[in-house]
């Protein structure tokens, strides 16, 4: 597993919730693409997951606002995988 951390609170149910910036999402996609290429990881929703999607995870991480951006992260990663 490779973990990428987003600093902030991206869960809309929290009183002080942040919005992930387009730059954060874009750079995350680039990083995912580079790492996928480097470690020969297939890019799909089976391999790109939020922390809360893993078995036995008891967390809201990375927050629904980042989860809503997984399509964008995956698209960017696929275009950056070189």
């Amino acid at each position: 597993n490779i973990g990428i951390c987003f600093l902030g609170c991206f869960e809309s149910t929290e009183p002080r919730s942040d919005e992930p910036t387009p730059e954060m999402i874009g750079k995350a996609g680039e990083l995912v693409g580079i790492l996928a290429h480097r470690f020969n990881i297939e890019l799909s929703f089976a391999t790109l997951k939020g922390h809360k999607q893993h078995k036995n995870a008891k967390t809201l991480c990375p927050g629904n606002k980042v989860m809503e951006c997984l399509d964008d992260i995956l698209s960017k990663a696929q275009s950056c995988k070189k």
Side-chain angles (χ1 to χ4, degrees), residues 4-42:
I4 298 173
C5 180
F6 288 84
L7 297 180
C9 177
F10 302 104
E11 180 60 40
S12 63
T13 61
E14 296 297 320
R16 281 191 66 211
S17 181
D18 301 311
E19 293 290 333
T21 66
E23 293 81 12
M24 290 171 75
I25 299 305
K27 291 298 182 183
E30 288 178 26
L31 181 57
V32 169
I34 290 166
L35 293 171
H37 175 71
R38 169 71 176 88
F39 296 104
N40 198 31
I41 299 169
E42 178 186 341

Side-chain angles (χ1 to χ4, degrees), residues 42-60:
E42 178 186 341
L43 288 171
S44 72
F45 286 115
T47 58
L48 178 64
K49 298 179 180 182
H51 183 190
K52 67 182 178 182
Q53 293 176 297
H54 288 271
K55 185 177 180 178
N56 299 323
K58 294 179 178 24
T59 182
L60 296 175

